[in-house]
């Protein structure tokens, strides 16, 4: 009886704390909605019923119009405007063979992501060895390097892109610089944590025979940490593809810019075609990088711990 009474007391106490938690959660949600409505000049609740109007406006005349827009094929609804056919953005290989504008812009976005990730990988890897506690004993060197990488990753890519777009004008170069800066800071932190967890016995052996710091890094650390470095590089590449797309919407070039223009001009088939192309590309990049990471670190790294 005493055990049952104790269990009932615990259950009552748990229900009481759950109720308090739900009330606090509802109050926080109500406060956030009120703040959003107030910040939006009272239009948040007024516009809420029209939430699905935008989706309705995106519906094309027929489903095949999306595929025609994706591959830039002639549309039966062509009216002389750029809403249905897009000859200006084509990149002709021969007189009759051309690459649709979206595919070219998607390649531009991928190029921004790849270049930024490679440069970020190189500089992040170099800085990480100076930030690792087991490789650099002096806090006067290790500390500033860590703070420098914190500064690099403190601002989101889109904020950095806005800064460089104001200086260097529109185009992919400001996007590359912004994504690269954030990638150096983010990968550098992940890399020095990998180095600090490495086996130090090879390093101790090289130190005992008088090897220099660079020789210890190259022969004792790099072979151990490189599979994890490559794994993080591929993960960061996935993230940078999405970041490059978002930056494109604010003037950084690539497919994001085309998506923003298409939405603002009310080109429904073109908008859905770009969204579809983005979806397919991101899935392809995710699957490719996951396959490469499995090859590098082995299947056991992806198995759930039971």
């Amino acid at each position: 009886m005493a055990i049952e009474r104790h269990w009932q007391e615990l259950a009552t106490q748990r229900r009481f704390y759950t109720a308090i938690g739900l009330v606090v959660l509802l109050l926080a949600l109500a406060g956030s909605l009120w703040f959003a409505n107030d910040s939006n000049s009272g239009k948040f609740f007024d516009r809420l019923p029209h939430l699905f109007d935008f989706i309705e406006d995106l519906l094309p005349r027929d489903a095949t119009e999306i595929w025609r827009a994706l591959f830039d094929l002639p549309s039966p609804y062509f009216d002389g405007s750029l809403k249905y056919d897009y000859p200006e953005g084509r990149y002709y290989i021969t007189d009759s063979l051309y690459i649709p504008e979206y595919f070219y812009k998607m390649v531009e976005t991928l190029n921004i992501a790849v270049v930024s990730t490679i440069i970020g990988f190189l500089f992040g890897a170099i800085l990480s060895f100076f930030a690792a506690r087991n490789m650099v004993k002096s806090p006067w060197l290790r500390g500033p390097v860590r703070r420098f990488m914190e500064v690099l990753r403190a601002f989101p890519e889109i904020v950095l892109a806005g800064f460089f777009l104001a200086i260097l004008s529109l185009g992919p170069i400001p996007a590359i610089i912004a994504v690269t800066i954030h990638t150096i800071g983010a990968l550098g932190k992940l890399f020095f944590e990998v180095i600090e967890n490495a086996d130090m016995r090879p390093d101790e052996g090289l130190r005992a025979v008088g090897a220099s710091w660079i020789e210890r890094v190259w022969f004792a650390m790099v072979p151990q940490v490189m599979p994890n470095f490559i794994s993080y590089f591929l993960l960061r590449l996935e993230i940078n593809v999405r970041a490059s797309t978002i930056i494109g919407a604010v003037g950084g070039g690539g497919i994001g810019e085309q998506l923003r223009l298409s939405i603002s001009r009310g080109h429904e088939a073109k908008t859905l075609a770009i969204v579809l192309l983005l979806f397919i590309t991101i899935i392809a990049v995710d699957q490719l990088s996951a396959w490469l990471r499995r090859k590098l670190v082995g299947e056991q790294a992806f198995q759930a711990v039971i």
Side-chain angles (χ1 to χ4, degrees), residues 19-297:
I20 290 178
L22 286 173
V23 169
V24 171
L25 187 65
L26 288 173
L27 287 174
L29 179 62
S32 299
L33 289 174
W34 173 83
F35 181 76
N37 185 60
D38 189 60
S39 303
N40 203 26
S41 302
K43 294 180 180 176
F44 179 75
F45 291 117
D46 291 343
R47 298 300 302 169
L48 204 54
H50 303 283
L51 182 64
F52 296 102
D53 290 356
F54 174 72
I55 298 174
E56 186 179 345
D57 292 341
L58 276 180
L59 294 177
R61 296 188 182 187
D62 62 71
T64 57
E65 194 64 13
I66 301 172
W67 295 103
R68 276 197 290 269
L70 182 62
F71 294 101
D72 196 5
L73 301 175
S75 170
Y77 306 112
F78 180 63
D79 57 0
S81 70
L82 293 176
K83 184 172 183 178
Y84 299 103
D85 287 350
Y86 328 108
E88 291 185 355
R90 295 170 183 167
Y91 292 85
Y92 283 90
I93 300 172
T94 64
D95 291 341
S96 57
L97 182 63
Y98 61 86
I99 300 173
E101 182 180 16
Y102 313 144
F103 288 88
Y104 185 85
K105 291 295 182 182
M106 193 68 242
V107 171
E108 190 175 299
T109 296
L110 290 174
N111 185 53
I112 293 170
V114 170
V115 171
S116 305
T117 311
I118 290 174
I119 298 174
F121 173 83
L122 293 174
F123 283 95
I126 293 170
L127 289 174
S128 65
F129 286 101
F130 292 97
R133 192 182 301 274
N134 53 348
M135 294 305 298
V136 173
K137 299 300 179 186
S138 170
W140 298 104
L141 175 59
R142 195 174 63 241
V145 173
R146 290 192 179 196
R147 300 295 88 73
F148 176 64
M149 290 193 291
E150 287 172 2
V151 170
L152 294 182
R153 64 175 183 273
F155 300 98
E157 295 95 330
I158 195 165
V159 175
L160 295 170
F163 179 74
F164 287 107
L165 284 167
I167 299 173
L168 302 172
S169 186
L170 304 180
I173 298 299
I176 290 174
I177 296 173
V179 177
T180 299
I181 288 174
H182 196 274
T183 301
I184 292 172
L187 284 184
K189 175 179 171 55
L190 295 172
F191 286 173
F192 83 69
E193 290 177 351
V194 171
I195 295 168
E196 288 183 345
N197 288 311
D199 184 358
M200 293 304 293
R201 283 175 293 184
D203 179 75
E204 291 168 1
L206 286 172
R207 191 200 298 261
V209 296
S212 66
W213 187 83
I214 295 176
E215 289 171 335
R216 286 164 47 208
V217 167
W218 187 250
F219 294 108
M221 283 296 153
V222 170
Q224 289 189 67
V225 300
M226 190 51 69
N228 283 328
F229 277 22
I230 298 295
S231 179
Y232 282 129
F233 166 82
L234 294 169
L235 179 64
R236 187 67 201 184
L237 179 62
E238 296 176 26
I239 296 170
N240 284 349
V241 171
R242 300 183 185 90
S244 303
T245 304
I246 295 169
I247 291 174
V250 296
I255 196 70
E257 185 177 10
Q258 294 299 311
L259 180 61
R260 180 182 61 81
L261 292 173
S262 178
I263 292 173
S264 62
R265 292 169 179 170
H267 297 175
E268 64 275 358
K270 190 175 180 179
T271 302
L272 291 175
I274 294 172
V275 170
L276 180 63
L277 181 60
L278 266 172
F279 183 67
I280 294 171
T281 304
I282 289 173
I283 288 178
V285 171
D286 284 355
Q287 293 300 313
L288 176 63
S289 64
W291 179 78
L292 287 173
R293 274 186 282 142
R294 280 188 169 86
K295 292 295 179 185
L296 283 168
V297 300

